[in-house]
Amino acid sequence: QVQLVESGGGLVQPGGSLRLACAASGTFFSINTMRWYRQAPGKEREWVATITTGGTPTYADSVKGRFTISRDNAKNTMYLQMNSLKPDDTAVYYCRTIVDGRIHWGQGTQVTVSS
């Protein structure tokens, strides 16, 4: 139905920046609301940010003011610009959406913030 592929993760120093992307492909008419989640070792997966099809964003308090979610509907891609990164941001980042009533997850991309 739909496949989601995250990219852009890597190793950065505290205070650095990364831009993640989530590309959607497959058979579907459209993707509406999309979300970013993250999961650190030993912790449950937590919600990071949401963007509606019209581009309205919301953020978790832990990333507000540092992360920016956006989307390019023509490319079926959403992004997460991460600035002022902290060690606590270290996690696997996942994108999620619902198509035809089913939840779809990407495979995740690793973000490591360390000196």
Side-chain angles (χ1 to χ4, degrees), residues 63-112:
V63 306
K64 193 174 300 181
R66 300 186 297 119
F67 291 11
T68 302
I69 189 171
S70 62
R71 66 190 297 162
D72 185 337
N73 289 338
K75 297 181 179 180
N76 288 324
T77 302
M78 74 164 175
Y79 305 91
L80 187 68
Q81 178 66 48
M82 305 185 296
N83 299 325
S84 301
L85 283 163
K86 305 174 181 179
D88 286 347
D89 296 320
T90 296
V92 178
Y93 284 71
Y94 301 88
C95 60
R96 191 196 81 162
T97 192
I98 298 177
V99 178
D100 293 334
R102 296 185 177 184
I103 299 174
H104 291 80
W105 293 93
Q107 86 290 345
T109 185
Q110 176 71 50
V111 172
T112 302

Side-chain angles (χ1 to χ4, degrees), residues 6 10 12 20-21 28 52 56 59 61 65-66 85 87 94 108:
E6 301 94 336
V12 296
L20 307 184
F28 54 90
T52 68
T56 301
Y59 301 95
D61 288 342
R66 300 186 297 119
L85 283 163
Y94 301 88

